Amino acid sequence: MPDHARVVIIGGGAVGTSVLYHLAKLGWTDCLLIDRDELASGSTWHAAGNVPNYSTSWNVIKYQRYTSKLYAKLGEEVDYPINYHVTGSIRLAHRKERMEEYGHVKSMARAQGIDFEVIGPNEIKDKYPFIELDDIKGGLWDPFDGDIDPSQLTQAFAKGAKDKGAKVQRFNPVRAIRQKPSREWELDTKNGIVTAEIVVNAAGYRAGEVAAMVGQYLPLVSMQHQYLVTEQIPELSQLKQKLPLLRDPDVSYYLRQEREGLLLGPYEWDCKADWLNGIPEEFSFQLYPDDLDRLEKYIEAAIGRVPILGQVGIQKVINGPIPYSPDGNPYIGPQHGLRNFYNCNTFSFGISQAGGAGKTMAEWIVYGQPEWDLWGFDHRRFTDFADHAYVHHKAVELYQNEYEIGFPVEERPAGRPRKVTALYDKLKAKGAFFGARGGWERAAYFPRNAREAEQKLSFHRGEMRWFAPVAEECKAVNERVGIMDLGGFTKYWVSGAGAEAWLDRIICGNLPKLGRVSLGYALTTRGTILSEFTITRVAADRFYLLSAGSALWHDTDWLQAHLPGDGSVQLEEASQAGSSLVIAGPKSRELLSKLTDADLSNTAFPWPSAKEITVAGKKVLALRVNYVGELGWELHVPMADLVHVYDAVWKAGESLGIADFGMYAMESLRLEKGYRSWKQDITHEYTPFDAGLERFVKLEKGDFIGKKALLERHAKGEAERFVPLIVDTPTADALTCSIVFDGNTQVGIVGSGGYGHRIGKSIALAYVRKDLAAPGSKLEIEILGQRYKATVAQEPIYDPKNERLRA
């Protein structure tokens, strides 16, 4: 075994070997993969081997299609035989909502060159003659779906990497990992010590054990997943080609041909998480005992759908561990709090995602940033709220709902609450319906009766029971005054003699003057948007930074990595110290004037500025900004004073018609103002010029991170432009990643969509081809498979001169 490698990958399944292969393809051949046993001996060897392209996520489709295209050529490229069958697949639909979802996914897939088709029962029968079509409304056809032998795939990746000079060490467990003062990593293995500049944790269901070696907790749990394989079925032996892979998501199983039998894999409600108290020392190439009782109703349903399944007996049952995160997505990217230590693990669908995972991980290491913004795969999306109990409850909930429809809004209850503000109990007593964001409970809306408090899932706004109360909340903010507890912002205090110079280099625009508030954007080295901060200057050398609640570990890692080493800048994270009370509406100044002696006039307290004031006898930092586009303030209140200040504001506002409002109303209000949402409307795939944020860029100032790349990209000209659109749709609003068309040409993609209650119209915030970005341009947006007229609007749509904000 070598005593040094540039990169060491721990774990030799399909994912780990893919990382090794992709690093070698990028020229990084001084890489070593270590596995505790034989390659593919963990979750890979017993995987069913399905390779779908389907997803309700734009980037996951892109990422999985990269995988399936790679598999089609990998065997020939590395000269290793692979059993890869591209059979196509049919997803069945029993209800209209499923067909609507298929319409949306088809649109996304076709925009990426994948010819998904929504098909009817007759077409299903043509493609799958053994099926019974009772209660089937239709389905989705993916011509590129199929299955692959997972062990052969793993060996092919390993061979391709070794042929380029990379190395593989089998039967060599890692016992300990230490970071040296040089920041290199020292791995103590059975075969000796190896030093690495970079470590990748690709250990599958043992990834948590590897993370623990470096003092970290990785939120994952292993779920038992069973599938069965039948004996030979005579009808299948007569086929000239394999049957398409069949999925029945409304019942929750997949069914595909395995040689001359069928392979059935349900995701059962009565599921089971295992190894909650630790993984056995040895489990390579092992399985759990069969437990077919849990699958009985799914087997019966599948036999009813495909009767030939019930004509023969069961040849074998596979019951093996699959790692699950709380949301079912894997972990790809940097480990929080560490340098040069990466995750590429916790894949519930590792075979279909291994190719994209290897590409993405290799780009993180080699370039410092992957091509695609896969924030939904970054483990830092979960912070300290995701403890062992939370992961267990969420993984079970997710497994039970693996095939559920991806409605635009659903608040699942398992594992909650985790983080709450001091107002949680009071708002709950008032009937608030909560949603969790970044682990924090936030009031989503305030039902007016028991029926409105029941969650009704739909793609159509009028069918959602929260729609009417949210309209009332928006009306209150627009006409009177509303109050919202907005806990969970990521908050920092930046101070010190070097604070101004340091922030100026981090942000691509100007810093605010004393007592003022501004938006600031941190860029990647490629000139694209990394993070968004609201920056308040409270002293010459002291700043208050706010960013997205879900960005806590992401932004903390980045800020700390760029701190100067001379101690001239102090960074204090203060996210849990308090909450933000948003008080907004035309009567907000009148209300606050009852509770403070501070001068709230435009002259003394203009938009956007900040002051420390006393409200109801408590000191708060008041920012005259908000995310809803009305006259108002954010009161940043210490947690201990939050209930007192809220009660005082409510009492003072009763005569003015004060109303609580929640996240859903805020979402509607911010769409009308065109306010961007981090990782939804702005990602690291876009520059500030693409995003229409050039007013926050000052190219004439001194150097800042990403400036050179931004200048180069801007000089070439932007291909797309962020714009708001008014959509002529009667019931269903644009979904994230709905596709924008000019005639039959795809010209853009939606970031956010929803209904604007103040203007009474449907809104989409989208990136469109730059020549079509002028207000008045007539386009179309495909929503749930149907085209609707859309018109580019002037930004912002509501109150274009910001007169209400400045009132």
Side-chain angles (χ1 to χ4, degrees):
M1 185 180 74
D3 58 8
H4 185 276
R6 195 173 188 183
V7 180
V8 168
I9 300 160
I10 304 172
V15 170
T17 52
S18 176
V19 175
L20 187 72
Y21 167 81
H22 281 86
L23 281 169
K25 283 194 72 174
L26 292 179
W28 282 43
T29 56
D30 182 15
C31 300
L32 170 67
L33 183 146
I34 301 175
D35 195 275
R36 64 181 288 119
D37 208 284
E38 180 58 270
L39 298 183
S41 60
S43 289
T44 295
W45 79 272
H46 62 73
N50 302 331
V51 188
N53 299 288
Y54 181 94
S55 175
T56 55
S57 162
W58 170 266
N59 269 344
V60 175
I61 292 175
K62 186 187 299 181
Y63 160 92
Q64 292 183 163
R65 181 55 180 147
Y66 171 87
T67 296
S68 61
K69 290 172 73 174
L70 173 64
Y71 292 175
K73 63 182 181 181
L74 181 64
E76 182 178 350
E77 181 181 307
V78 303
D79 192 24
Y80 191 93
I82 299 176
N83 286 321
Y84 181 37
H85 310 107
V86 179
T87 61
S89 72
I90 300 167
R91 289 176 184 265
L92 301 176
H94 296 238
R95 43 188 172 145
K96 74 175 182 67
E97 293 88 353
R98 183 71 69 180
M99 290 294 284
E100 289 174 333
E101 180 181 60
Y102 289 166
H104 177 55
V105 173
K106 180 205 74 172
S107 178
M108 290 194 295
R110 283 179 168 267
Q112 297 187 38
I114 313 172
D115 291 328
F116 280 16
E117 294 180 35
V118 176
I119 58 179
N122 291 338
E123 294 169 284
I124 293 173
K125 190 74 172 180
D126 290 342
K127 295 178 184 294
Y128 205 102
F130 305 110
I131 196 169
E132 296 295 325
L133 292 168
D134 298 346
D135 75 356
I136 294 299
K137 295 187 179 299
L140 184 73
W141 169 250
D142 172 5
F144 300 113
D145 205 334
D147 62 90
I148 197 167
D149 184 302
S151 295
Q152 291 178 343
L153 170 66
T154 303
Q155 295 296 341
F157 276 138
K159 181 180 185 298
K162 288 189 290 185
D163 286 350
K164 293 182 181 297
K167 297 179 176 62
V168 173
Q169 274 272 321
R170 300 172 298 148
F171 306 103
N172 188 22
V174 175
R175 296 166 171 169
I177 306 174
R178 297 174 291 272
Q179 190 164 33
K180 301 165 70 174
S182 64
R183 288 188 175 168
E184 289 184 309
W185 294 97
E186 191 175 78
L187 290 82
D188 186 350
T189 77
K190 177 184 175 182
N191 294 342
I193 292 176
V194 58
T195 300
E197 297 173 23
I198 296 167
V199 173
V200 179
N201 178 2
Y205 56 69
R206 292 191 183 272
E209 295 178 335
V210 174
M213 293 180 189
V214 291
Q216 302 292 322
Y217 173 70
L218 200 60
L220 69 94
V221 69
S222 292
M223 299 295 297
Q224 291 190 13
H225 179 63
Q226 296 184 89
Y227 64 85
L228 59 89
V229 181
T230 71
E231 297 171 340
Q232 290 188 5
I233 299 174
E235 289 89 340
L236 299 185
S237 63
Q238 300 171 16
L239 296 176
K240 294 182 180 180
Q241 60 186 29
K242 289 185 72 172
L243 285 171
L245 201 158
L246 185 70
R247 293 181 180 84
D248 197 342
D250 289 324
V251 180
S252 192
Y253 66 81
Y254 57 86
L255 181 70
R256 71 166 173 83
Q257 185 175 342
E258 176 69 8
R259 294 189 172 90
E260 294 178 356
L262 288 172
L263 183 156
L264 172 66
Y267 287 90
E268 71 276 17
W269 191 263
D270 185 22
C271 57
K272 185 178 181 182
D274 216 332
W275 298 338
L276 299 178
N277 296 314
I279 303 174
E281 180 64 26
E282 295 298 331
F283 202 78
S284 298
F285 293 115
Q286 296 185 46
L287 296 170
Y288 301 120
D290 303 349
D291 192 0
L292 288 181
D293 289 346
R294 301 207 312 260
L295 307 187
E296 183 176 352
K297 72 173 186 178
Y298 303 91
I299 296 171
E300 291 176 355
I303 291 173
R305 184 64 60 201
V306 182
I308 60 170
L309 176 65
Q311 294 176 6
V312 296
I314 297 173
Q315 183 185 79
K316 63 180 176 180
V317 178
I318 302 294
N319 185 13
I322 298 180
Y324 263 73
S325 70
D327 62 6
N329 283 337
Y331 299 134
I332 307 177
Q335 171 66 43
H336 168 61
L338 301 177
R339 301 281 184 90
N340 298 327
F341 194 101
Y342 292 87
N343 289 295
C344 198
N345 53 56
T346 316
F347 288 81
S348 306
F349 299 94
I351 304 306
S352 65
Q353 298 181 348
K359 173 185 185 295
T360 301
M361 189 73 267
E363 290 169 348
W364 262 117
I365 291 170
V366 175
Y367 304 129
Q369 176 188 318
E371 176 185 0
W372 307 318
D373 192 319
L374 295 174
W375 167 244
F377 287 4
D378 194 312
H379 98 94
R380 295 172 297 181
R381 66 191 186 272
F382 299 112
T383 60
D384 56 356
F385 69 88
D387 61 14
H388 191 60
Y390 177 85
V391 177
H392 176 205
H393 293 309
K394 276 297 180 188
V396 169
E397 179 185 63
L398 180 71
Y399 190 96
Q400 293 171 331
N401 292 279
E402 188 65 69
Y403 279 137
E404 273 305 307
I405 294 172
F407 289 108
V409 175
E410 182 178 6
E411 311 295 348
R412 292 181 180 169
R416 296 170 48 201
R418 304 307 297 174
K419 290 187 174 184
V420 300
T421 75
L423 275 174
Y424 176 76
D425 290 335
K426 180 176 286 288
L427 297 181
K428 187 176 182 181
K430 294 178 79 170
F433 184 94
F434 286 90
R437 301 294 184 268
W440 285 88
E441 295 292 328
R442 291 178 177 174
Y445 70 103
F446 289 81
R448 299 168 299 181
N449 53 55
R451 184 178 181 277
E452 289 179 350
E454 295 176 358
Q455 192 170 202
K456 172 70 166 66
L457 303 177
S458 175
F459 290 109
H460 301 274
R461 67 181 89 96
E463 296 177 4
M464 300 175 188
R465 290 177 181 165
W466 52 260
F467 186 75
V470 166
E472 288 298 315
E473 293 170 27
C474 292
K475 181 180 175 69
V477 173
N478 177 232
E479 297 180 358
R480 306 186 308 275
V481 61
I483 183 169
M484 179 184 186
D485 176 30
L486 194 55
F489 271 129
T490 296
K491 307 180 183 79
Y492 305 96
W493 288 101
V494 178
S495 59
E500 179 179 18
W502 179 68
L503 275 177
D504 194 48
R505 185 175 181 276
I506 281 177
I507 302 300
C508 64
N510 288 335
L511 295 178
K513 296 178 180 179
L514 183 62
R516 302 292 285 182
V517 184
S518 68
L519 276 180
Y521 291 89
L523 307 184
T524 70
T525 55
R526 293 184 176 184
T528 56
I529 300 171
L530 180 82
S531 284
E532 177 187 71
F533 297 97
T534 299
I535 306 173
T536 302
R537 189 172 197 149
V538 298
D541 59 355
R542 187 167 172 81
F543 299 84
Y544 182 50
L545 271 60
L546 300 170
S547 64
S550 58
L552 175 60
W553 280 4
H554 173 280
D555 288 349
T556 298
D557 282 348
W558 192 81
L559 291 170
Q560 289 183 339
H562 289 84
L563 281 174
D566 59 6
S568 62
V569 179
Q570 290 80 52
L571 178 68
E572 177 190 355
E573 191 264 305
S575 303
Q576 299 191 57
S579 187
S580 306
L581 285 181
V582 180
I583 301 170
K587 296 183 179 181
S588 57
R589 178 183 284 118
E590 182 180 353
L591 188 161
L592 281 177
S593 294
K594 297 180 180 183
L595 301 170
T596 182
D597 293 332
D599 187 346
L600 303 179
S601 67
N602 274 335
T603 303
F605 207 147
W607 174 81
S609 62
K611 287 184 180 182
E612 187 177 83
I613 65 174
T614 299
V615 174
K618 303 295 182 180
K619 287 186 177 181
V620 304
L621 179 61
L623 277 58
R624 192 176 161 188
V625 295
N626 59 65
Y627 203 47
V628 301
E630 297 285 352
L631 171 67
W633 281 260
E634 284 182 5
L635 304 183
H636 291 255
V637 187
M639 202 67 80
D641 298 332
L642 187 62
V643 173
H644 173 83
V645 173
Y646 173 88
D647 286 344
V649 171
W650 186 267
K651 184 177 180 181
E654 284 182 323
S655 63
L656 302 175
I658 191 170
D660 289 299
F661 71 101
M663 290 190 298
Y664 295 174
M666 183 176 70
E667 178 70 6
S668 171
L669 298 166
R670 72 98 180 170
L671 287 173
E672 294 171 315
K673 292 297 292 181
Y675 294 155
R676 282 69 159 162
S677 177
W678 185 71
K679 294 303 182 187
Q680 189 166 334
D681 302 309
I682 49 177
T683 74
H684 82 221
E685 296 182 30
Y686 296 104
T687 73
F689 292 100
D690 299 326
L693 297 169
E694 58 269 20
R695 63 191 181 280
F696 299 107
V697 179
K698 301 302 176 186
L699 294 174
E700 66 275 13
K701 79 171 194 174
D703 192 28
F704 56 83
I705 295 171
K707 180 177 180 179
K708 182 175 183 294
L710 180 62
L711 284 168
E712 291 172 353
R713 295 176 69 132
H714 185 49
K716 294 177 182 177
E718 286 72 39
E720 297 175 292
R721 174 80 180 186
F722 183 92
V723 295
L725 298 105
I726 300 296
V727 192
D728 185 12
T729 169
T731 63
D733 300 310
L735 301 170
T736 296
C737 297
S738 291
I739 306 303
V740 184
F741 289 89
D742 177 26
N744 290 320
T745 303
Q746 176 200 341
V747 295
I749 186 168
V750 172
S752 301
Y755 191 76
H757 287 280
R758 287 179 296 200
I759 66 171
K761 296 177 181 178
S762 183
I763 300 167
L765 305 182
Y767 287 88
V768 304
R769 206 173 68 200
K770 193 174 181 181
D771 62 302
L772 298 170
S777 292
K778 303 296 183 181
L779 303 170
E780 289 183 311
I781 296 180
E782 194 161 279
I783 303 171
L784 305 177
Q786 300 294 319
R787 298 275 185 92
Y788 296 93
K789 294 179 180 179
T791 304
V792 176
Q794 184 71 45
E795 185 184 356
I797 301 170
Y798 175 75
D799 187 25
K801 296 181 180 180
N802 289 327
E803 292 172 334
R804 295 179 71 90
L805 284 168
R806 302 174 189 273

